[in-house]
Amino acid sequence: MKRIFVTGTDTEVGKTFASVAILNQLNNRRLRTAACKPVASGCVDTEEGLRNEDALALQQAASVSLPYAQVNPIAFAAPVAPHIAASQQGMTIDESRLSDNLRHFAEYSPDLLLVEGAGGWRLPLGGGRFLSDWVKEQKLSVVLVVGMRLGCLNHALLTAEAISRDGLELVGWIANQVETDMPYVADNLALLKAELNGPFLGHIPRLANAGLAHQYLDLTPLL
Ligand SMILES: Nc1ncnc2c1ncn2[C@@H]1O[C@H](COP(=O)(O)OP(=O)(O)OP(=O)(O)O)[C@@H](O)[C@H]1O
Ligand SMILES: C[C@H](N)[C@H](N)CCCCCC(=O)O
Ligand SMILES: [Mg+2]
């Protein structure tokens, strides 16, 4: 079971948008895919409990259908940094729940498990721990989604540097067009291709139809 962790240069840069595209393409390649969002904030309270739109999108897109609790083990309502949401509820984030949950995916024998992060690489979990510490301990491969807008070069290079310093492999990166009026997109892509140590998986433009996004990716390096 390949396990990839999808991180981003920031929150709202298209981690979920790109993750769904990854799942769609791998499903089309006849792989068995599973997906999860271990820690989510900004969840909606429903009759079945808290639900996160990212986790629901991943649950829907993966070819192995799983119960919501398996897809999103830790959920908070407040749309804020999860460790703050936890503290506001008088709670802490229990990493053992994340690790136990991750282990259970083997029972479903997917070819690939996609794990979406939250925010960017250094997502605080509280108590001086970061989600990246957990990713490192789980030895996950990392895909970086670069939100293409002015300022992304710095965020992308610093994130890649941190991933490398954490001893993890950047197995691919995706340019996701956040700002349509970004100047010199080709020149920015050229810099990222030259400086990022990992395969370029594709550039997703702004799309009215998310269902087309997978056509802009070539995920061969992930297989
Ligand atoms: N290429 C794109 N074309 C059109 N809409 C996009 C594109 N990429 C992202 N979006 C939209 O931008 C918003 C933010 O994207 P997304 O939710 O994937 O970000 P994220 O990095 O997963 O955020 P979070 O940190 O909350 O998980 C969403 O409404 C998404 O549908
Ligand atoms: C609520 C938001 N959409 C994300 N789910 C959480 C973003 C956490 C960002 C933490 C930080 O400031 O780096
Ligand atoms: Mg997301």
Side-chain angles (χ1 to χ4, degrees):
M1 168 173 65
K2 274 183 183 295
R3 302 178 308 166
I4 61 165
F5 182 83
V6 178
T7 191
T9 45
D10 200 346
T11 184
E12 296 291 301
V13 294
K15 294 187 299 295
T16 305
F17 199 85
S19 292
V20 168
I22 290 170
L23 293 167
N24 287 342
Q25 181 170 127
L26 296 183
N27 294 341
N28 291 346
R29 291 175 180 243
R30 299 275 177 269
L31 272 73
R32 271 175 65 79
T33 58
C36 65
K37 175 115 175 166
V39 182
S41 58
C43 300
V44 177
D45 207 356
T46 75
E47 285 172 10
E48 293 84 30
L50 288 176
R51 289 296 180 268
N52 173 261
E53 63 177 357
D54 292 4
L56 291 170
L58 297 173
Q59 183 186 38
Q60 173 74 30
S63 58
V64 177
S65 64
L66 297 170
Y68 186 85
Q70 178 66 28
V71 175
N72 175 217
I74 296 183
F76 298 106
V80 298
H83 75 292
I84 295 173
S87 154
Q88 292 300 311
Q89 293 179 208
M91 294 169 62
T92 56
I93 294 174
D94 178 0
E95 288 183 51
S96 67
R97 287 180 58 195
L98 303 183
S99 307
D100 293 346
N101 174 268
L102 194 72
R103 261 193 301 280
H104 283 147
F105 279 97
E107 295 164 21
Y108 301 96
S109 52
D111 298 310
L112 180 130
L113 170 62
L114 184 150
V115 184
E116 181 187 345
W121 181 244
R122 285 278 191 263
L123 180 87
L125 295 179
R129 292 279 295 180
F130 295 89
L131 187 57
S132 51
D133 295 322
W134 178 78
V135 174
K136 179 177 176 178
E137 287 156 10
Q138 299 300 326
K139 299 185 175 57
L140 303 182
S141 302
V142 183
V143 167
L144 171 61
V145 177
V146 179
M148 296 300 285
R149 56 183 163 213
L150 186 60
C152 72
L153 301 181
N154 169 57
H155 292 166
L157 298 177
L158 285 175
T159 302
E161 197 176 300
I163 292 164
S164 173
R165 284 218 188 124
D166 287 349
L168 293 171
E169 185 185 3
L170 183 68
V171 294
W173 64 276
I174 293 169
N176 183 52
Q177 202 60 46
V178 175
E179 283 178 5
T180 49
D181 57 355
M182 178 185 190
Y184 302 109
V185 171
D187 299 80
N188 281 275
L189 282 174
L191 185 286
L192 292 170
K193 287 174 182 175
E195 297 294 336
L196 288 178
N197 288 328
F200 172 57
L201 301 178
H203 176 211
I204 306 175
R206 287 309 281 186
L207 293 170
N209 176 359
L212 299 177
H214 68 90
Q215 295 173 8
Y216 293 88
L217 301 179
D218 176 2
L219 301 179
T220 309
L222 296 187
L223 302 181

